[in-house]
Amino acid sequence: EEELEIISNLSGLGWYIYPDFNLKKWIFDIYNGRNFSVSQNTNPTVIFSPEFDNVKSQEYIDSLVGFGNYAIVAGQGEGVNREVIAVGSDATGLDKHIIFVDARDLENSDDLQRRGEAKLNEHKRVLTFQSEILPEGPFEYERDWELGDIVTVKNKDWGVTVDTRIIEVTEIYEAGGFKLNVIFGESLPTLTQKIKSALGELKIESMK
């Protein structure tokens, strides 16, 4: 599941598994979310904002914890003979966030670029909107938007407008009515994910 999540983050494609009762099999399928953001002009736009009366509450997280936009990737070899490449942003000064990638487990030097890009994807800046969506708003769930789509999220008071993907939808059925909790953007890494990432680095280190 974790490998599939990494592939999804790199490709922008989603995946799901559902039962086919006629074939008596589980079906694995992929989907490419639609783009309803204000930055495109092919589809109708979908905007989530208190101004549109379709958001009850919002929480915005902009985290640079663990962020990297420039990777130094070191392959096989020792000392001055070790193959080293750089991957990432042209940013300079305080805008450059460097990570080191130990890739000596790779036998093919052509794979260093891909390893660096994959690691940068794991160290992205986290921009997340967590919102409670009002179902009676102008945009209807599963008709105008759904999980995996790209939409625009806005909060005028905070001066924030972002085009971002819907990565999680929680449907809540209570005595008081139906609620939708939606996460836009990137989810913050959990402690378990951080530990697994660190263990992965230790595994590479032990292979030296």
Side-chain angles (χ1 to χ4, degrees):
E1 183 176 340
E2 291 180 5
E3 293 299 325
L4 289 173
E5 184 176 348
I6 292 173
I7 294 172
S8 292
N9 288 332
L10 287 171
S11 65
L13 297 174
W15 58 273
Y16 58 98
I17 299 174
Y18 63 92
D20 187 317
F21 296 105
N22 292 326
L23 296 177
K24 298 181 179 180
K25 293 182 178 180
W26 287 95
I27 306 299
F28 176 88
D29 206 350
I30 62 173
Y31 64 90
N32 188 9
R34 301 164 295 176
N35 189 342
F36 295 123
S37 70
V38 297
S39 300
Q40 54 81 44
N41 53 20
T42 302
N43 300 314
T45 58
V46 174
I47 302 174
F48 289 99
S49 170
E51 296 177 76
F52 282 72
D53 295 324
N54 58 359
V55 173
K56 183 177 181 180
S57 63
Q58 282 182 323
E59 178 183 351
Y60 177 59
I61 300 173
D62 184 353
S63 174
L64 290 176
V65 175
F67 171 61
N69 58 5
Y70 188 86
I72 297 174
V73 188
Q76 294 189 349
E78 298 293 338
V80 296
N81 295 320
R82 190 171 188 185
E83 185 172 7
V84 178
I85 68 168
V87 180
S89 170
D90 294 329
T92 59
L94 295 177
D95 292 328
K96 177 177 283 189
H97 298 258
I98 301 173
I99 62 172
F100 176 76
V101 180
D102 187 344
R104 69 178 67 203
D105 60 307
L106 298 178
E107 296 182 1
N108 190 340
S109 59
D110 293 337
D111 293 331
L112 294 178
Q113 176 81 19
R114 286 191 290 271
R115 173 64 63 82
E117 292 171 351
K119 285 297 180 181
L120 286 176
N121 188 71
E122 295 175 13
H123 291 267
K124 292 188 297 185
R125 180 178 182 176
V126 176
L127 295 173
T128 299
F129 262 106
Q130 299 184 22
S131 306
E132 182 180 337
I133 303 302
L134 295 173
E136 63 272 15
F139 306 113
E140 184 178 333
Y141 174 49
E142 294 186 319
R143 185 194 68 185
D144 301 312
W145 63 274
E146 60 183 329
L147 180 67
D149 291 341
I150 298 173
V151 297
T152 296
V153 183
K154 182 178 181 180
N155 189 300
K156 185 177 180 180
D157 293 338
W158 300 341
V160 175
T161 301
V162 293
D163 297 337
T164 186
R165 190 178 299 276
I166 300 169
I167 63 168
E168 184 177 321
V169 178
T170 303
E171 302 178 22
I172 303 173
Y173 297 87
E174 298 177 330
F178 172 62
K179 294 196 303 184
L180 282 172
N181 288 340
V182 180
I183 297 180
F184 306 88
E186 300 288 336
S187 57
L188 289 170
T190 64
L191 177 60
T192 301
Q193 290 171 330
K194 291 181 179 179
I195 292 174
K196 287 184 177 180
S197 178
L199 290 176
E201 297 296 334
L202 288 174
K203 182 178 180 181
I204 292 176
E205 184 73 19
S206 66
M207 294 172 62
K208 295 179 181 179

